[in-house]
Amino acid sequence: AQRVTQPEKLLSVFKGAPVELKCNYSYSGSPELFWYVQYSRQRLQLLLRHISRESIKGFTADLNKGETSFHLKKPFAQEEDSAMYYCALKFGSGGSYIPTFGRGTSLIVHP
Amino acid sequence: EAQVTQNPRYLITVTGKKLTVTCSQNMNHEYMSWYRQDPGLGLRQIYYSMNVEVTDKGDVPEGYKVSRKEKRNFPLILESPSPNQTSLYFCASSLYPSGANVLTFGAGSRLTVL
């Protein structure tokens, strides 16, 4: 079965420290992977997706098919990065893909 | 403004009293979905819809119903709410249910069942 695992419920770092939020997936096909973020009292929104290979707010994520991982990284954390982060996998075929989410990691960046 | 609108945003109700949480999108999206968010459990999909009159169960459909009679609306119905349905609910939509399409989320509806 398709699964997304975020092993850390909570990640606590100090401002300026590197951050890595882990995401592992299990899916035998070609995955479409995303990171969504939920800031306090705001709705979930897309942070980045693997097909874009972009850096958003200093965050990057590389798809590693060998390790089935899509870890989210930022070299220097900022206080405004404190939020809930969800890794999401879309699986399916043809034109129909169903998104499944990990349990989320709460990132707290201390001043 | 392109958005997903949920109502009500907050609701306190009692066990067994039927309620409906509405979800409407103005982006002509084909795909719509309902999630519940619970501490430690993350986002779990309740129901989803690929298009009008096409709905399917997600991971946690028990106790919920949905309908998709028109493209823009996807209401979530709790026929007989129970306390274990106390949660934060999110509606989301995307243009197509294809791999690359990004989900747009509503602001959430916090439901408390006493």
Side-chain angles (χ1 to χ4, degrees):
Chain A
Q2 299 75 16
R3 185 182 303 165
V4 177
T5 303
Q6 293 180 251
E8 302 134 333
K9 283 187 180 180
L10 174 66
L11 189 59
S12 182
V13 302
F14 286 99
K15 178 181 174 180
V19 167
E20 182 179 53
L21 290 85
K22 291 183 167 55
C23 173
N24 290 91
Y25 66 91
S26 61
Y27 179 53
S28 57
S30 294
E32 296 284 348
L33 286 152
F34 305 77
W35 277 99
Y36 285 83
V37 61
Q38 185 179 27
Y39 300 104
S40 180
R41 300 186 184 281
Q42 293 187 28
R43 64 187 70 194
L44 277 134
Q45 57 187 287
L46 177 73
L47 181 61
L48 54 79
R49 47 187 166 169
H50 90 271
I51 60 168
S52 301
R53 301 185 66 80
E54 58 201 343
S55 174
I56 303 293
K57 299 184 179 182
F59 284 97
T60 59
D62 291 319
L63 175 60
N64 186 321
K65 289 188 177 181
E67 295 183 359
T68 59
S69 68
F70 188 56
H71 303 328
L72 184 67
K73 300 177 184 178
K74 185 169 183 176
F76 308 103
Q78 303 298 314
E79 290 178 68
E80 56 266 29
D81 296 328
S82 295
M84 192 74 175
Y85 291 81
Y86 288 96
C87 182
L89 163 73
K90 291 184 90 173
F91 64 92
S93 61
S96 298
Y97 281 72
I98 308 300
T100 187
F101 287 81
R103 293 191 173 191
T105 298
S106 177
L107 174 64
I108 299 175
V109 181
H110 300 282
Chain B
E1 180 187 354
Q3 60 184 353
V4 177
T5 304
Q6 298 178 225
N7 280 296
R9 294 288 314 282
Y10 302 91
L11 179 63
I12 300 174
T13 189
V14 295
T15 299
K17 186 176 181 181
K18 180 180 178 179
L19 67 92
T20 299
V21 186
T22 64
C23 174
S24 181
Q25 49 90 6
N26 61 0
M27 298 167 282
N28 203 35
H29 283 179
E30 288 189 3
Y31 179 86
M32 297 186 75
S33 181
W34 275 103
Y35 296 87
R36 59 179 290 174
Q37 184 183 43
D38 301 289
L41 297 176
L43 280 170
R44 294 180 293 169
Q45 191 174 49
I46 303 171
Y47 270 94
Y48 63 92
S49 171
M50 295 289 195
N51 213 325
V52 176
E53 301 290 3
V54 182
T55 63
D56 211 341
K57 297 177 180 178
D59 298 319
V60 288
E62 295 77 20
Y64 305 95
K65 287 174 58 178
V66 293
S67 69
R68 187 90 183 274
K69 295 177 181 175
E70 47 189 347
K71 203 170 193 177
R72 64 182 293 122
N73 295 322
F74 190 46
L76 180 69
I77 304 157
L78 286 73
E79 293 272 3
S80 183
S82 61
N84 64 11
Q85 293 178 297
T86 293
S87 187
L88 178 59
Y89 292 85
F90 287 99
C91 182
S93 71
S94 67
L95 182 58
Y96 301 114
S98 58
N101 275 207
V102 174
L103 287 168
T104 300
F105 283 86
S109 297
R110 186 169 293 280
L111 171 64
T112 301
V113 183
L114 302 175

